[in-house]
Amino acid sequence: MDVMWEALLLVARPDVLLTILAASTLGIVIGAIPGLTAVMGVALLVPITFFMDPVPAIAAIAALAAMAIFSGDIPGALLRIPGTPASAAYVDDAFAMTRAGRPERGLGLSLGSALIGGVIGVLLLMFAAPLLARFATNFSSVEYFWLALLGLSCAAIVSTGSALKGVLSLIFGLFVAFIGIDEVAGQPRFTFGSFELMGGVSFIPAMIGMFALTEILRNATRNAPKPEAPRMGPVFAGLGSTLVRRWRNVLRGGLTGSLVGALPGAGADIAAWVSYAIAKRRSRTPEKFGTGHDEGLIEAGASNNAALSSAWVPTLVFGIPGDSITAIVIGVLYLKGLEPGPIIFVKTPELIYAIFLSFLLANLLLLPLGWAVIRLARHLLRVPQAYLMPIVLCACIVGSFAINNSPFGVGIMLAFGVIGWLFEENGIPVAPAILGIVLGAMLEFNFVTSMLKSKGDLMTFVERPIAAGLGLVVLLLWAAPVLRALRSRT
Amino acid sequence: MMKFNDRVIGILAILGGIAIISGTFGFREAPGQQFGSGFFPRIVGAAAMLAGLVQVLAARDRGPWIRIAPELRSRDAFLKLGVLAAVVFWLLTVQMLGFLLTTTLVALALSVAMGARPLPATGVAAGLSALLWLVFGMVLRVPLPRGLIEGLMSWT
Amino acid sequence: MTLIQKMLTGVALACLPAGAALADYPDRPVTILVPWGAGGGTDTIIRIFATGFEEAMGQPINVVNRDGGSGVVGHMAIAQARPDGYTLGACTPEITYFKSIGLADLTPEKFTLISRLALIPAGITVAQDSPYADLPALVEAVKSEPAGHFQSSGSGIGGTWHMATAGFLKALGEPVDKIDFIPSKGGAPALQDMVSGGLNMFTGSPVEAKALADAGEVRILGIMSDERSDAFPDVPTLKESGVEFALSNWFSLCAPAGLPEEVTAKLAEAAREAHGAAVVQDALAQRGITPYFDGPEEFSTFAAGFADEAGTLLGELGLVN
């Protein structure tokens, strides 16, 4: 328990607590404003966390993300513009409640289910991650190769929209991962003679470009409609009894979300859709879904916040991101000298537990801050785009500059912003590209070093039992859709 | 808004795959390595070509090659280009004008272009760049480019 | 940089009151570029040193990480910075052989070498369940087992720890590639791979292995320095087992070539003062890092000698292009 105590001391410091509070407030505002998403908020926060100690830095990201995913429900419920893709699954139900004159009901249910779902996810993270880490000390480059392949396969198969376009996005990400010096052979690849590119594409400016600049481009319009939000009744009235009555949905949402989130490559967005579908299938009144019914809203609302926390399990244990946010987190962990992997659970367990504790704290903060933002929502929704977008643009520029103290980062941000915008315009999902960039390097490096160790013997990939097991999972993952297609044909 | 035909996307992917593969031929062999620097890029290049081919064949999109939505032909198109131009302007002039002036100009131009009134927009733009300078330049010690205004402030 | 940018920068320089008097140097914050990641050895050393250096220079010191590309990006940025004394760097041994392995046109001549600040010796570490009880047993096994039996890591190919492995074999009279050197991205992943059974040896720094050794996951068998280290009093040196070899990674303060002589002198003076401060010495020693200071002349001579030695070893490893 010593470790827990040390961790508590690391968190219970005024600067850490203030950081969590500030990041939470920022997150809840960002999520509530249409056009600003959780991932974008995280991408813009990273250049600042860059200068903090590890615990407040990671805590700030965790807090901001949890808040933004919840408050993304607000513009969804009030204006039918989901603030984050994770809110899109149940936006119709929440908006129908607003039209029926009860906006506070939908938002209250979102808040309550987000809180409980978030806590379930954190508890899973706290108990599963260290156990998994213990097990993962048995992983050598061979197992890591399979894990990276597993993550990429999930990213390609479960991505939203056209599967083929998801694959194209993934391929683009893999290509970007090759840029720079191949560290095994010392060979510069696709650097076009630029020494700045020899270090590879800086991940964080690329991310800021793909998530924030893209959003500015989409919102850059002269005739943005002036949103008007309805008045709000008391938020907590009747909330408790509804949640108690729907305890099955809350619990199932939290657990499903935790499991989906822990899969590499599948994050809160997918968790919300999966849970909504489960709720509908198990409901006694599936025909009411989408017309202001509470079951799907509760289950998916709990699910996306649970997924947010459990996505950190593969991130911390294997260095494999669970979603776009944790993909950014991996970059931050490396910047902090905290290489994700089972070793940090042995080397600095107090740091890991401190991160868990700040997660729990951030989720509990949802209650007061969420209540406050629901009251304030009417005003937040009215911030004019003509001021908001320039502010975001300048934050993008200075953030991209600060990572390497070089205008080169700003250039990377610009290039990836344009690419991200073209992707979205053409229905190509961005998330697989992000995972491709992160996992591509890992996949190649572990393949090549495994081959060096075995002197070219491919059997090395199935000789160790865990490796063989992981390989089988990857194989099944790819075989399943093929088999299903064959069966439906005959 | 600016949508390529699905077949065009496929063709772009095929061309990209060819470019990646042809880019690997200059790589040198590493001693004692069976799978050199070119191995993975070639796999990915081949995958790009294959995925592109499937995309071309499976495309049901019979529309024109590039569709530009009507609103993009209007002033919004210039606005979007303007956002990109603002970043390029920042990159080109920041070394000369310094962080404060360049950032103010970029924010002001975008605000006004999006329909804000010039006077309040100037206030917001100047306040914003001062805040960023304070947070990043002063507190976080990022060496933001110095220029005309910063050169006059001897205390920085 | 494009032509336009160059012209604009020129205009900006003409506008600035800077460069007025060297006597005032330094009159604004100084940046030290670290070509490696945060939390790594170089970063730790420079950040410790900077606390003392800040006082000695009388100006704030910004430590900035520019990592990536096996150190090329950061070293290139140091070499290409304006030689005005406001951008310094933390050069590491790579500057002596970037050119010979064909990574970048960088040699010690592209830098103003101010002084080495610290050394971290190479070590030999094995997993807890390794059959080799101590250093003599391991040395015996390296001689008797066939080539390729041992697989070691700790850095990238051609990195300092790869050279340590090759130099150790050479001192034993064995072929320099008898131990397979598997590249890794730093010490932590290499150690993880060894703990999981993927490798049977780690020839990186004992500093990196310390936490795992304390946790009982690995055993540090030996250290490749001339004398035992205060941080690892129980770990014998190679020389105690009759292997005449020592190799340390070194970490230095440097600047772009062409620094004005007064500035170099001022920097060397301030660096010596900062380095001698008790806080810096203690903080380094506490982490198992050996503080070291040699000044501009000695450091330049040493770098030239190191370049020769490294060139020979890398040539035998077949890595020279």
Side-chain angles (χ1 to χ4, degrees):
Chain A
M1 242 28 223
D2 273 356
V3 174
M4 223 33 180
W5 182 244
E6 259 183 82
L8 198 62
L9 291 181
L10 277 175
V11 177
R13 285 184 4 208
D15 59 328
V16 177
L17 296 176
L18 269 178
T19 309
I20 294 179
L21 187 65
S24 301
T25 314
L26 193 65
I28 216 147
V29 171
I30 284 178
I33 296 175
L36 306 188
T37 64
V39 188
M40 171 180 185
V42 170
L44 290 178
L45 180 70
V46 162
I48 299 176
T49 60
F50 190 46
F51 300 92
M52 300 178 187
D53 284 338
V55 171
I58 303 296
I61 294 175
L64 186 141
M67 299 295 162
I69 288 281
F70 155 68
S71 69
D73 293 354
I74 294 174
L78 300 186
L79 306 171
R80 208 165 173 264
I81 312 170
T84 60
S87 310
Y90 45 85
V91 67
D92 284 335
D93 282 306
F95 186 63
M97 292 182 191
T98 302
R99 265 199 312 202
R102 301 278 315 275
E104 72 282 356
R105 182 157 169 258
L107 287 173
L109 288 175
S110 284
L111 178 60
S113 54
L115 175 68
I116 301 173
V119 170
I120 293 178
V122 174
L123 292 180
L124 183 100
L125 173 66
M126 285 175 104
F127 292 107
L131 287 179
L132 207 53
R134 193 61 242 162
F135 176 62
T137 48
N138 295 319
F139 283 33
S140 73
S141 59
V142 178
E143 286 84 7
Y144 273 96
F145 164 78
W146 283 118
L147 273 181
L149 197 60
L150 185 64
L152 286 174
S153 308
C154 287
I157 292 171
V158 298
S159 74
T160 46
S162 146
L164 192 57
K165 284 182 175 169
V167 171
L168 284 176
S169 173
L170 188 67
I171 288 173
F172 171 76
L174 290 172
F175 166 69
V176 172
F178 294 139
I179 296 175
I181 289 184
D182 167 17
E183 291 185 45
V184 179
Q187 165 72 50
R189 296 188 292 191
F190 309 109
T191 56
F192 309 102
S194 149
F195 84 84
E196 302 242 30
L197 270 183
M198 283 175 94
V201 171
S202 326
F203 186 64
I204 286 161
M207 208 70 11
I208 294 177
M210 279 197 144
F211 288 111
L213 188 60
T214 301
E215 208 67 42
I216 299 173
L217 286 173
R218 192 179 318 132
N219 289 316
T221 166
R222 273 188 78 89
N223 27 17
K226 280 227 170 63
E228 260 328 306
R231 293 209 158 271
M232 202 73 65
V235 178
F236 294 122
L239 174 60
S241 59
T242 314
L243 286 179
V244 170
R245 193 157 37 91
R246 299 290 186 202
W247 66 273
R248 266 202 196 84
N249 294 96
V250 179
L251 209 64
R252 197 166 52 207
L255 290 177
T256 316
S258 301
L259 289 180
V260 173
L263 280 181
D269 306 356
I270 292 163
W273 285 105
V274 169
S275 283
Y276 192 81
I278 293 178
K280 194 169 179 179
R281 192 173 305 169
R282 303 299 299 256
S283 169
R284 252 176 259 146
T285 52
E287 71 283 356
K288 282 193 190 166
F289 275 63
T291 61
H293 192 56
D294 55 2
E295 280 178 280
L297 173 67
I298 293 173
E299 185 148 350
S303 175
N304 59 16
N305 271 64
L308 203 63
S309 302
S310 68
W312 289 61
V313 173
T315 308
L316 290 170
V317 177
F318 303 114
I320 290 186
D323 57 8
S324 306
I325 293 175
T326 42
I328 303 177
V329 168
I330 289 199
V332 177
L333 288 171
Y334 276 105
L335 285 175
K336 295 277 160 218
L338 288 174
E339 279 169 52
I343 297 281
I344 55 170
F345 285 80
V346 181
K347 259 179 150 174
T348 50
E350 70 284 356
L351 226 52
I352 296 293
Y353 280 97
I355 291 172
F356 293 166
L357 285 180
S358 36
F359 256 95
L360 200 57
L361 198 61
N363 273 294
L364 295 179
L365 268 179
L366 256 179
L367 202 59
L369 289 178
W371 175 80
V373 80
I374 292 176
R375 308 293 308 173
L376 284 174
R378 287 165 51 88
H379 307 286
L380 279 175
L381 292 173
R382 282 199 308 224
V383 180
Q385 298 277 318
Y387 293 112
L388 198 60
M389 289 304 140
I391 292 175
V392 177
L393 180 67
C394 292
C396 289
I397 293 176
V398 73
S400 308
F401 182 90
I403 289 297
N404 283 326
N405 297 296
S406 137
F408 188 72
V410 183
I412 295 275
M413 189 265 299
L414 181 64
F416 278 79
V418 175
I419 293 170
W421 185 65
L422 286 175
F423 269 31
E424 295 208 335
E425 288 291 304
N426 289 288
I428 303 175
V430 178
I434 304 301
L435 288 162
I437 299 177
V438 177
L439 294 176
M442 190 171 164
L443 183 77
E444 180 181 24
F445 195 83
N446 284 305
F447 177 81
V448 174
T449 50
S450 299
M451 288 301 23
L452 277 174
K453 282 190 233 165
S454 75
K455 300 178 179 62
D457 180 6
L458 284 165
M459 286 305 286
T460 188
F461 287 110
V462 290
E463 271 168 4
R464 292 163 52 112
I466 304 175
L470 286 168
L472 197 64
V473 173
V474 173
L475 207 65
L476 288 176
L477 205 59
W478 283 103
V482 175
L483 285 180
R484 204 174 308 140
L486 285 180
R487 198 177 304 160
S488 67
R489 200 165 284 187
T490 53
Chain B
M1 297 249 273
M2 188 164 138
K3 199 170 169 347
F4 292 100
N5 184 305
D6 277 355
R7 261 173 293 169
V8 177
I9 296 175
I11 291 168
L12 285 176
I14 295 174
L15 292 178
I18 294 172
I20 294 173
I21 292 176
S22 58
T24 63
F25 288 115
F27 297 166
R28 64 187 179 213
E29 292 300 315
Q33 221 184 305
Q34 299 85 355
F35 299 93
S37 304
F39 181 65
F40 265 77
R42 274 174 217 156
I43 293 181
V44 168
M49 287 164 66
L50 186 69
L53 194 67
V54 176
Q55 174 84 11
V56 171
L57 295 178
R60 302 236 155 73
D61 196 342
R62 297 263 173 253
W65 281 38
I66 300 178
R67 249 172 312 178
I68 296 176
E71 64 264 33
L72 208 65
R73 297 200 196 104
S74 67
R75 291 173 73 172
D76 281 353
F78 288 103
L79 200 54
K80 289 182 205 303
L81 279 179
V83 171
L84 303 180
V87 181
V88 174
F89 169 83
W90 191 93
L91 277 170
L92 287 178
T93 54
V94 73
Q95 297 290 345
M96 180 176 79
L97 299 179
F99 176 82
L100 282 175
L101 197 55
T102 316
T103 309
T104 308
L105 287 176
V106 164
L108 174 63
L110 186 57
S111 267
V112 171
M114 284 183 71
R117 287 204 312 265
L119 204 61
T122 312
V124 170
L128 170 67
S129 46
L131 183 73
L132 290 174
W133 168 264
L134 207 69
V135 171
F136 282 89
M138 293 292 169
V139 180
L140 303 178
R141 290 184 177 185
V142 173
L144 297 173
R146 296 154 57 87
L148 300 176
I149 296 181
E150 295 90 341
L152 297 175
M153 300 189 296
S154 54
W155 44 271
T156 58
Chain C
M1 234 193 251
T2 65
L3 187 63
I4 298 175
Q5 265 180 314
K6 269 186 190 159
M7 275 161 50
L8 292 175
T9 317
V11 175
L13 278 179
C15 293
L16 282 173
L22 281 172
D24 297 340
Y25 174 81
D27 63 354
R28 58 185 165 93
V30 174
T31 299
I32 302 182
L33 290 174
V34 173
W36 305 97
T42 318
D43 182 65
T44 309
I45 290 162
I46 291 297
R47 282 182 198 275
I48 291 171
F49 169 73
T51 54
F53 199 47
E54 204 157 58
E55 209 164 303
M57 294 280 280
Q59 283 289 341
I61 307 289
N62 297 333
V63 178
V64 169
N65 301 85
R66 281 298 299 278
D67 56 330
S70 309
V72 171
V73 180
H75 280 108
M76 200 63 135
I78 299 167
Q80 293 184 346
R82 210 180 305 150
D84 57 4
Y86 290 100
T87 308
L88 309 176
C91 289
T92 50
E94 285 76 10
I95 57 167
T96 62
Y97 56 80
F98 269 139
K99 196 171 175 174
S100 44
I101 60 176
L103 264 190
D105 187 19
L106 282 172
T107 55
E109 288 75 44
K110 304 261 170 159
F111 299 92
T112 303
L113 303 177
I114 296 163
S115 176
R116 281 189 284 166
L117 300 174
L119 307 174
I120 295 182
I124 295 179
T125 303
V126 296
Q128 190 64 33
D129 57 5
S130 163
Y132 310 106
D134 54 13
L135 191 57
L138 184 97
V139 169
E140 213 35 62
V142 169
K143 283 192 205 160
S144 59
E145 295 286 349
H149 172 80
F150 281 100
Q151 300 192 314
S152 179
S153 186
S155 66
I157 295 283
T160 313
W161 305 140
H162 188 187
M163 278 197 274
T165 315
F168 163 62
L169 288 167
K170 198 175 173 187
L172 285 178
E174 301 286 342
V176 289
D177 54 1
K178 192 173 181 189
I179 296 175
D180 280 348
F181 194 83
I182 312 296
S184 74
K185 297 183 174 178
L191 284 162
Q192 144 80 21
D193 212 1
M194 184 171 79
V195 170
S196 74
L199 298 167
N200 48 15
M201 196 182 194
F202 171 77
T203 39
S205 89
V207 178
E208 288 171 308
K210 191 167 186 304
L212 283 175
D214 292 345
E217 300 274 353
V218 302
R219 289 179 285 132
I220 304 171
L221 294 186
I223 184 168
M224 302 194 195
S225 57
D226 293 323
E227 290 160 21
R228 288 196 181 199
S229 156
D230 292 339
F232 306 97
D234 304 330
V235 177
T237 66
L238 274 185
K239 296 194 177 175
E240 291 172 40
S241 297
V243 184
E244 279 301 313
F245 180 71
L247 189 128
S248 288
N249 208 356
W250 42 269
F251 306 88
S252 74
L253 184 67
C254 64
L259 209 60
E261 264 172 47
E262 307 92 273
V263 174
T264 313
K266 162 98 194 176
L267 281 170
E269 185 48 45
R272 185 183 298 278
E273 191 190 321
H275 191 265
V279 269
V280 174
Q281 294 275 325
D282 291 349
L284 289 175
Q286 203 192 342
R287 286 168 175 78
I289 302 165
T290 319
Y292 192 88
F293 197 92
D294 52 4
E297 291 80 28
E298 238 179 275
F299 181 21
S300 300
T301 319
F302 167 81
F306 193 92
D308 289 343
E309 211 178 308
T312 316
L313 271 180
L314 290 167
E316 286 173 37
L317 287 169
L319 292 174
V320 170
N321 287 75

